[in-house]
């Protein structure tokens, strides 16, 4: 969670709320490992939904704002970054 917060400049409650919305919509899934929660895109069974999500991911990956978010994430990632 803290990586999402740091990368996107969100507060913890806001990041939790946004990830909860995505999880309830079936876009992401999570797994807990100790005190960490890992999120990833949910594999879409419906081919149409899968193609739309893949198109969104590719489109967002080309955006300068997302590239900056990824750069920021790479500088803060890792278990010790969130202590």
């Amino acid at each position: 969670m803290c990586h999402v917060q740091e990368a996107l400049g969100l507060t913890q409650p806001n990041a939790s709320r946004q990830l909860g919305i995505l999880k309830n919509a079936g876009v992401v899934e999570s797994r807990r490992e100790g005190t960490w929660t890992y999120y990833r895109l949910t594999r879409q069974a419906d081919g149409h939904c899968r193609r739309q999500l893949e198109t969104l991911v590719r489109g967002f990956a080309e955006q300068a704002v997302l590239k900056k978010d990824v750069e920021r994430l790479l500088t803060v990632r890792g278990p010790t970054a969130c202590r």
Side-chain angles (χ1 to χ4, degrees), residues 27-67:
V27 176
V28 298
E29 56 189 30
S30 65
R31 68 176 170 82
R32 290 196 58 89
E33 201 170 291
T35 59
W36 287 88
T37 302
Y38 296 90
Y39 291 88
R40 68 178 181 182
L41 292 173
T42 302
R43 184 174 199 72
Q44 300 296 314
D46 180 276
H48 182 68
C49 289
R50 184 176 50 251
R51 286 187 297 279
Q52 286 185 344
L53 187 56
E54 288 169 354
T55 299
L56 282 172
V57 169
R58 278 194 306 274
F60 282 128
E62 297 171 3
Q63 300 298 313
V65 171
L66 181 64
K67 287 180 183 180

Side-chain angles (χ1 to χ4, degrees), residues 7-36:
L8 301 178
L10 299 174
T11 63
Q12 188 278 328
N14 194 351
S16 291
R17 185 171 39 257
Q18 300 304 321
L19 286 167
I21 291 168
L22 292 172
K23 190 173 179 178
N24 288 337
V27 176
V28 298
E29 56 189 30
S30 65
R31 68 176 170 82
R32 290 196 58 89
E33 201 170 291
T35 59
W36 287 88

